Amino acid sequence: MSKTRVLTGITTTGTPHLGNYVGAIRPAVAASRNADVDAFYFLADYHALIKCDDPARIERSRLEIAATWLASGLDPERVVFYRQSDIPQIPELTWLLTCVTAKGLMNRAHAYKASVDANLAEGQDPDAAITMGLYSYPILMAADILMFNAHKVPVGRDQVQHIEMARDVAARFNHLFGQGREFFVLPEAQVDEEVATLPGLDGRKMSKSYDNTIPLFEGGSKRLKETIARIVTDSRAPGEAKDPDSNALATLYRAFADEAQTKVFRSALRDGLGWGEAKTRLFDCIDEQIAPLRARYEALMAQPERIEDALQTGAAKARAVAAPLLETLREAVGLRRFRALAQNTEQVQTRAATAVPSFKQYRETDGCFSFKLMDADGRLLLQGGRYSAPRDAGQRIAALKQGASTVPLADEVLGDDVGPAAVLAALALLGQE
Ligand code: TRP
């Protein structure tokens, strides 16, 4: 059985936090170890340009995110791990897809609509600050996926619509240019319901946009400890019973501890564990897991060329898949080499050269002999006269081929819509033989 190709993109903006690790990185690394899976994971750095026009941040963020994935156990030997911007076939495919994507489909994209709504709510022009990058983003994402014929695309719920759009665009392209061939696999979104969403410092979902994140590696264990200390709790004093579900601590704890440890932690809170002590236990638990990864992360960040090498190896593997498919697609839409076109022209000429007019001699039902001159397509150009001997008919044919002065003779009839010039042209062709 062939393996399932699983592909996902990681937008390279921001600094990875615990929520990214638990919600995306850790499960994706685990899934990539599955022997039935052919995993393609990439840094969506073209996507990052949509949201950020600060080159230094772009550069920093993609390096940090690459290092984070490698340090978290992604094995670049087993997974095709690459940067989107190292695969020129992706933007090229984006354009081919753009040309078959209905504008109306893009109008319906949630991300774009949300931006329009926000503009309207502020009394602004609906398109204020909306770039074509944001608008066309789902087409770039479709190209990311279709370029590698991914079967499954693990994504968050907010991305499901984009996968559906990729299917639409793929089906349309297959239909328009495939002539029965299917260039693209229709991808399926894979939304993992099991994966925990971590709460942030204020109890809402941990997210950069709420500014409530706990960094994964940045700032080391010191920073981790300080940030955990800022998790919002109530004013219950040590010794007072606490509801483990009324704050973020127990949920964060569970994401890093096993079941038995989690149980102990929760009952300690109910038994009056102080918030300060609870935070120390939470820090110890997370740091124990993160510390070895952080050491690898720091080593990688100190040698960016090692990261570069890993990504270049991945990019070469990815291009080896992308390039032949793109060639096929270019061919399919008509972007063909002129060499091939020259061959076609030759074929056309050969056909014209071999398709010459011809004479057909025959005997009428009444016993007379006659002939017809037909053009290459079998149309009647000239109906011959009536001769009592086949030799006489043959002589008239020979005279016509040699350029007879008069066409038609009195008893010859031109075909429908045929002028003498057409007959002379046909005879000139025959005369060259
Ligand atoms: N848009 C995705 C996100 O914001 C990232 C992404 C880009 C992606 N290209 C992709 C995900 C292709 C899956 C497949 O999360």
Side-chain angles (χ1 to χ4, degrees):
M1 201 195 85
S2 67
K3 293 187 179 189
T4 303
R5 182 162 294 170
V6 174
L7 174 145
T8 197
I10 306 130
T11 306
T12 55
T13 45
T15 298
H17 54 69
L18 290 185
N20 300 138
Y21 177 70
V22 170
I25 303 171
R26 195 171 63 184
V29 170
S32 75
R33 302 216 166 106
N34 182 336
D36 300 331
V37 158
D38 177 21
F40 279 58
Y41 292 171
F42 70 96
L43 303 170
D45 50 359
Y46 282 138
H47 285 266
L49 295 180
I50 296 169
K51 303 179 193 168
C52 173
D53 59 8
D54 174 354
R57 266 185 56 204
I58 292 284
E59 180 186 29
R60 178 83 196 160
S61 191
R62 68 216 268 276
L63 179 66
E64 283 178 357
I65 291 176
T68 299
W69 280 75
L70 292 169
S72 302
L74 190 76
D75 177 358
E77 298 287 319
R78 122 175 251 149
V79 174
V80 182
F81 183 52
Y82 55 99
R83 271 182 305 227
Q84 185 184 32
S85 64
D86 285 329
I87 319 296
Q89 289 84 4
I90 293 174
E92 200 170 339
L93 175 57
T94 301
W95 184 250
L96 299 188
L97 299 177
T98 299
C99 294
V100 303
T101 301
K103 177 169 176 284
L105 185 68
M106 294 299 100
N107 290 341
R108 292 197 285 279
H110 298 320
Y112 164 71
K113 284 203 327 200
S115 300
V116 171
D117 290 348
N119 281 335
L120 291 175
E122 286 168 26
Q124 301 225 17
D125 183 277
D127 283 333
I130 297 179
T131 63
M132 287 307 293
L134 175 67
Y135 186 68
S136 311
Y137 161 124
I139 313 179
L140 176 58
M141 185 159 160
D144 291 333
I145 299 169
L146 303 177
M147 188 82 266
F148 300 99
N149 275 324
H151 303 101
K152 303 258 182 228
V153 185
V155 282
R157 193 160 287 295
D158 60 321
Q159 297 292 317
V160 170
Q161 188 196 32
H162 295 145
I163 313 300
E164 279 158 11
M165 289 177 161
R167 291 171 65 91
D168 271 15
V169 173
R172 179 152 170 79
F173 194 97
N174 280 340
H175 172 73
L176 278 174
F177 300 110
Q179 295 181 318
R181 280 181 299 174
E182 304 274 307
F183 300 115
F184 300 126
V185 166
L186 301 188
E188 271 173 46
Q190 201 174 41
V191 180
D192 194 341
E193 309 287 351
E194 300 285 286
V195 161
T197 321
L198 285 194
L201 298 178
D202 57 359
R204 291 186 292 171
K205 180 188 171 188
M206 191 183 295
S207 158
K208 198 173 60 124
S209 37
Y210 294 148
D211 196 21
N212 65 356
T213 63
I214 303 173
L216 176 58
F217 298 138
E218 206 190 45
S221 71
K222 184 164 171 281
R223 177 85 178 277
L224 181 63
K225 195 175 191 109
E226 286 164 2
T227 317
I228 288 174
R230 285 173 33 223
I231 295 172
V232 175
T233 52
D234 61 27
S235 56
R236 264 168 246 253
E240 277 186 74
K242 297 168 185 76
D243 174 9
D245 297 315
S246 70
N247 65 83
L249 294 182
T251 314
L252 287 165
Y253 193 93
R254 167 179 281 142
F256 290 91
D258 64 27
E259 223 172 297
Q261 291 171 307
T262 304
K263 234 177 172 166
V264 171
F265 186 77
R266 289 172 67 86
S267 61
L269 280 173
R270 280 192 219 95
D271 292 347
L273 183 71
W275 290 127
E277 174 59 18
K279 287 176 176 179
T280 302
R281 288 196 198 178
L282 174 63
F283 164 75
D284 289 341
C285 167
I286 296 179
D287 198 55
E288 192 190 313
Q289 293 219 4
I290 296 297
L293 280 58
R294 187 193 295 126
R296 285 205 292 268
Y297 175 80
E298 280 162 5
L300 283 163
M301 288 298 281
Q303 290 171 281
E305 64 285 356
R306 275 175 59 204
I307 305 176
E308 184 66 35
D309 285 349
L311 289 171
Q312 288 301 338
T313 307
K317 287 193 244 172
R319 285 192 301 259
V321 176
L325 177 56
L326 192 73
E327 269 311 303
T328 308
L329 301 174
R330 289 177 59 104
E331 170 75 24
V333 300
L335 300 177
R336 299 167 188 158
R337 293 193 187 284
F338 286 156
R339 209 169 347 108
L341 182 65
Q343 276 165 11
N344 287 345
T345 314
E346 250 166 54
Q347 280 167 13
V348 170
Q349 280 169 353
T350 318
R351 192 179 151 268
T354 51
V356 292
S358 57
F359 280 101
K360 306 225 177 326
Q361 260 187 274
Y362 64 95
R363 191 171 188 181
E364 299 273 24
T365 42
D366 64 0
C368 290
F369 296 91
S370 186
F371 62 84
K372 290 178 195 290
L373 174 63
M374 319 290 275
D375 76 1
D377 296 321
R379 194 165 62 118
L380 180 70
L381 294 174
L382 183 72
Q383 171 65 59
R386 298 156 63 82
Y387 303 91
S388 50
R391 230 186 75 216
D392 299 329
Q395 275 174 2
R396 174 61 183 157
I397 289 172
L400 284 167
K401 279 187 179 170
Q402 279 154 30
S405 53
T406 319
V407 178
L409 283 181
D411 58 348
E412 289 168 353
V413 181
L414 294 171
D416 289 339
D417 294 319
V418 174
V423 177
L424 290 173
L427 292 172
L429 261 176
L430 286 167
Q432 286 166 11
E433 281 186 321

